[in-house]
Amino acid sequence: MAQEVFPGRYTAEPARDSVTVFLIGMRANRWWKIRSVAKVASAMPPMLRHLASDPGSGMLGFEQWLGRTTVLLSYWESPEHLRKFAADREAPHLEPWRRFMKELAGRGDVGVWHETYQVPADGIEAVYSGMPLFGLAKATSHVPIGPGTNTAKQRMGRAAVRNGKASDRAAAGA
């Protein structure tokens, strides 16, 4: 399935005060233990389907890369949305996590990891040139770069003003 490539330069414009960035993945430390690797890897697709089917979940979008070390980059409305999903007994996360902790954690066959970042919108700068919808622009808003957003310096910090909330620094004329 071919993706539409957008010629020219674009940026992401999240329409919120902050974005939660969640990175998660696994590493096949002992790739020859394919059953253990497959057991861990097979848990993620149901989670992603569940999140994609529930607009109230708070997940805005994601990108994924597969290999010996996998990486899933996802964007969320808030850390609270992420924690709510992780703790939801009805969601497809707790059971696979408990199974991993009981059967595989500490053995070293498969490693799992995650990192969470709460990023203020005025601390975000993004550019996409000749790309299909991707990353934060795909998860939020994909807009052409133009006057006022031509440089990284112009793009960084503009969110507070764009959202009608001029920062103290901008208000002070800095």
Side-chain angles (χ1 to χ4, degrees):
M1 181 165 85
Q3 292 180 301
E4 178 183 1
V5 172
F6 293 87
R9 296 171 67 229
Y10 289 79
T11 190
E13 226 177 60
R16 51 188 25 87
D17 291 333
S18 66
V19 174
T20 299
V21 179
F22 183 63
L23 297 160
I24 188 168
M26 60 167 268
R27 183 177 190 275
N29 295 323
R30 298 183 183 124
W31 53 266
W32 57 93
K33 302 242 180 158
I34 194 69
R35 285 191 182 117
S36 295
V37 173
K39 188 180 282 192
V40 175
S42 67
M44 188 56 72
M47 291 184 216
L48 293 172
R49 282 191 299 274
H50 173 83
L51 291 163
S53 71
D54 179 8
S57 70
M59 188 175 77
L60 303 171
F62 70 92
E63 301 290 344
Q64 186 173 23
W65 298 270
L66 304 174
R68 180 176 184 182
T69 300
T70 66
V71 178
L72 179 90
L73 164 64
S74 59
Y75 303 96
W76 293 73
E77 290 181 28
S78 71
E80 293 76 25
H81 283 91
L82 180 59
R83 287 191 290 268
K84 181 180 175 190
F85 168 70
D88 184 349
R89 294 178 189 273
E90 303 300 315
H93 172 265
L94 275 180
E95 182 54 37
W97 177 245
R98 288 178 177 153
R99 192 170 53 246
F100 173 81
M101 293 303 293
K102 181 180 178 184
E103 300 171 9
L104 298 170
R107 289 181 31 193
D109 297 346
V110 180
V112 297
W113 62 274
H114 81 255
E115 300 174 2
T116 307
Y117 304 94
Q118 181 67 29
V119 184
D122 63 358
I124 294 171
E125 188 275 325
V127 66
Y128 310 90
S129 182
M131 289 286 294
L133 283 178
F134 184 83
L136 185 61
K138 180 178 171 185
T140 60
S141 190
H142 183 247
V143 296
I145 289 176
T149 59
N150 278 311
T151 67
K153 184 177 179 179
Q154 289 174 329
R155 291 185 297 275
M156 183 72 75
R158 79 189 191 294
V161 174
R162 178 188 64 239
N163 290 333
K165 300 176 183 176
S167 68
D168 293 343
R169 184 177 162 163

